[in-house]
Amino acid sequence: MNRDDVQARTARGRRRLADVLEGLGPAKWQAGTLCEGWTVRVLAGHLLQPMVVGFGRFLLASLRHRGDTAATVDSLARRLARPEPAELVALLRRHAGDRVDPPRVGPMGPFAETCVHLRDLARPFGLDADAPREDWVLLLDHLLSPGVAPGLTTPARTGGLTLLATDAGWRHGTGPAVTGTVEALAMALTGRRAALADLDGPGREVLARRL
């Protein structure tokens, strides 16, 4: 998969997220997501980070948090979430086509976020908003590649397991099987325990213990 294609998929994903966010009422913007401690509004702020926070600004923020990446990302997300919801949606649309190549994660990092964070906000509300199946397959291949960033997943989660997609001709690994949709598999591999309810197979409990 070339970078142009990944970035085009990312742009479409951002616009899809903007559509979902625009359809949420004010109360839902204050509701929680699958990202622990983050409301929809904070998650919306985080979605803007790759486009509006350059490496220098991120580095300075990281220094203030003594190199704690999670704390840095959380702080930036809350700062970026300060505008009103309508403005956050407008900003996400305005920057949807921005091409970014963050250190360590590359263009696959922002692409992964458009898939996973869409479901982070849609799942708690029972919304069927989802990324295309082919995007999930691309993401699964990346999550199981040697160069995946530790912030997305780790090989320890999937070692000795067979992952089988029930809605695509996709499989990976050997050992006890974990079966489910490509969305549920990818959400679980990125640490979302809520997705375990949508998985099946003898390897499911093994994966659950590793999350």
Side-chain angles (χ1 to χ4, degrees):
M1 187 67 62
N2 64 53
R3 286 176 177 246
D4 287 344
D5 185 69
V6 170
Q7 289 167 334
R9 290 172 185 268
T10 302
R12 290 194 292 269
R14 289 175 184 145
R15 295 185 182 102
R16 194 177 297 118
L17 277 156
D19 289 342
V20 174
L21 288 166
E22 191 170 43
L24 299 180
K28 287 184 176 177
W29 276 78
Q30 303 309 316
T33 67
L34 294 188
C35 297
E36 186 177 354
W38 281 7
T39 63
V40 168
R41 189 166 182 168
V42 175
L43 179 55
H46 172 67
L47 291 168
L48 293 168
Q49 181 190 309
M51 299 88 86
V52 301
V53 177
F55 177 73
R57 182 179 171 189
F58 187 91
L59 181 60
L60 287 174
S62 178
L63 291 174
R64 287 197 295 271
H65 292 281
R66 299 184 179 182
D68 186 329
T69 301
T72 303
V73 169
D74 181 76
S75 175
L76 289 170
R78 295 179 188 280
R79 181 177 296 273
L80 293 170
R82 289 175 180 173
E84 291 301 311
E87 185 177 349
L88 290 172
V89 172
L91 285 168
L92 187 55
R93 289 194 195 283
R94 187 182 311 157
H95 291 284
D98 289 8
R99 295 186 168 215
V100 294
D101 192 351
R104 295 197 301 170
V105 298
M108 284 300 294
F111 166 73
E113 290 198 332
T114 64
C115 298
V116 175
H117 286 329
L118 174 62
R119 298 302 293 158
D120 282 336
L121 69 89
R123 269 179 168 264
F125 300 132
L127 301 177
D128 60 5
D130 202 352
R133 188 180 306 164
E134 56 269 24
D135 283 9
W136 286 115
V137 171
L138 175 61
L139 178 55
L140 280 170
D141 286 341
H142 176 67
L143 292 175
L144 294 159
S145 68
V148 66
L152 283 175
T153 192
T154 67
R157 284 182 180 159
T158 56
L161 295 174
T162 298
L163 306 177
L164 291 169
T166 56
D167 58 344
W170 183 93
R171 67 177 290 156
H172 175 87
T174 57
V178 182
T179 62
T181 64
V182 285
E183 181 265 353
L185 288 168
M187 292 295 284
L189 294 191
T190 53
R192 276 64 178 176
R193 294 190 62 85
L196 290 171
D198 298 322
L199 299 177
D200 205 350
R204 176 186 175 278
E205 293 307 315
V206 177
L207 178 60
R209 290 195 296 270
R210 294 175 177 176
L211 294 185

